[in-house]
Amino acid sequence: HDALPIYYMEQSVCIEQGDLEQLCQLSKKYQIGVYLGVVERPLQRGGHSLYCSLVYINPEGTIGSVHRKLQPTYDERLTWSPGDGNGLQTHSLGGFEVGGLNCWENWMPLPRAALYAQGENVHVAVWPGSKHNTQDITRFIAKESRSYVISVSALMERGDFPDQTPFLEEIQKQAPGTLADGGSCVAGPDGEWVCEPIVGQEGIFYAELDLKRVYEERQNFDPSGHYSRPDVTQLHLNKTRQQILK
C-alpha cells in the first residue's frame, strides 16, 4: 500500500536541507569522527528517490563524504536506488585512514579493493543487524586487508516500530520477536577478535586500536603495496557523482 513507502520517505534524511546539522555540531563540539548510516533523499537526484547512504562527519563538524550503497540487495531494490562511486573515499582520523561500506556491498571485492588502494587501515562495515551478517566477514576483511574492521550492527525488537507506523498491527502480527540481534564486533589486522560479536545487548562499545599492529601485518602482506602487481591487474574507480542534469 502507498501509505507505507510514503511514511518511509517522510522519515528520510535530506542532507542539503540541513537534516544532519545537529550531528555535525556535536561532532565538532566533541572533536570526534562519525560514520552514520542513513536513508538519504538527495535533492541532487530530484528529491524523490531514496538511497542507503553512509555519511562521514569529521571532527571539525564537516561532512567529508556520502557513500550511496552501490547495489541494493534483493528486495531492497523496491525501495532504494543504486548509488555511485563518489563516496568511495577514505579519511585521515587520529593517524589512521578510515573508510566504510554498507551491508552486503562489504562482500563486493572491487569496492573493498578501491578503499584498500587509498590507504584504508580501519574499515567500518555497517549492517542492519544480526550476528549472522558480521561473524564471518568481519574477520575475513580484516585478514584480507590487514586492517582493523569495525562492524556496527543494530538491534530491533517487534516493539520498536513507531506507534504511527502504517499497518502497525498487521506488521507486528507477522514480525518475529527479534528482527535483528546486534552482532557488533571488531577484528584486528591479523583477523583475530578485538571485540567478539555482541548479541542482544544495547550499548556503547569501545576498543583501542594500535597502528603498529597494521604495520606488523603489512610487513608480509600489503594488498595495495608490495603484494600487488599493478602491471598485471588494475582497478578503475569512477568517483563521478551521477546525476541527470549537468
Side-chain angles (χ1 to χ4, degrees):
H1 195 283
D2 290 344
L4 196 56
I6 290 171
Y7 174 75
Y8 187 69
M9 183 172 288
E10 289 173 342
Q11 310 311 307
S12 62
V13 169
C14 183
I15 295 173
E16 296 100 321
Q17 292 180 340
D19 288 354
L20 296 182
E21 183 58 32
Q22 185 176 4
L23 284 174
C24 290
Q25 292 301 318
L26 288 170
S27 181
K28 181 178 180 179
K29 178 179 178 180
Y30 293 105
Q31 290 288 287
I32 57 174
V34 176
Y35 266 104
L36 177 71
V38 301
V39 175
E40 183 196 7
R41 182 178 56 83
L43 299 182
Q44 172 262 344
R45 290 303 298 265
H48 305 96
S49 290
L50 302 180
Y51 296 80
C52 173
S53 296
L54 182 60
V55 180
Y56 175 70
I57 306 172
N58 66 27
E60 289 73 47
T62 301
I63 293 176
S65 63
V66 179
H67 173 55
R68 297 171 184 165
K69 186 177 180 181
L70 297 173
Q71 183 60 60
T73 303
Y74 195 50
D75 50 4
E76 291 174 357
R77 297 171 202 173
L78 296 172
T79 302
W80 293 338
S81 306
D84 56 39
N86 180 262
L88 285 175
Q89 303 178 36
T90 61
H91 305 277
S92 296
L93 181 65
F96 291 91
E97 195 70 17
V98 186
L101 293 172
N102 295 293
C103 196
W104 264 27
E105 67 178 358
N106 284 286
W107 284 108
M108 299 172 71
L110 297 185
R112 291 199 311 268
L115 295 176
Y116 302 165
Q118 296 174 67
E120 182 191 64
N121 50 35
V122 175
H123 181 81
V124 179
V126 295
W127 304 91
S130 296
K131 180 182 176 182
H132 73 264
N133 278 319
T134 64
Q135 62 184 346
D136 296 323
I137 194 171
T138 304
R139 295 181 64 194
F140 164 72
I141 295 177
K143 190 72 172 178
E144 176 187 62
S145 63
R146 301 305 202 262
S147 300
Y148 286 98
V149 178
I150 302 170
S151 277
V152 185
S153 199
L155 283 170
M156 186 172 183
E157 303 292 332
R158 182 167 49 209
D160 291 336
F161 286 96
D163 292 339
Q164 64 271 31
T165 303
F167 312 109
L168 178 61
E169 184 176 343
E170 292 89 336
I171 291 172
Q172 291 185 328
K173 283 181 180 178
Q174 298 295 323
T178 298
L179 290 88
D181 65 8
S184 294
C185 52
V186 181
D190 57 354
E192 298 301 318
W193 290 122
V194 175
C195 174
E196 295 190 23
I198 299 170
V199 175
Q201 178 183 344
E202 288 189 5
I204 300 174
F205 309 119
Y206 300 89
E208 185 172 338
L209 311 186
D210 183 357
L211 187 57
K212 291 180 181 178
R213 292 291 298 116
V214 175
Y215 293 154
E216 289 172 0
E217 292 299 324
R218 295 208 185 178
Q219 188 275 331
N220 62 22
F221 184 78
D222 184 356
S224 297
H226 65 77
Y227 219 94
S228 64
R229 285 292 305 275
D231 58 319
V232 179
T233 57
Q234 292 185 350
L235 174 63
H236 172 74
L237 173 60
N238 180 3
K239 286 190 175 182
T240 304
R241 178 61 91 199
Q242 300 299 313
Q243 59 188 48
I244 296 296
L245 185 62
K246 293 188 177 182

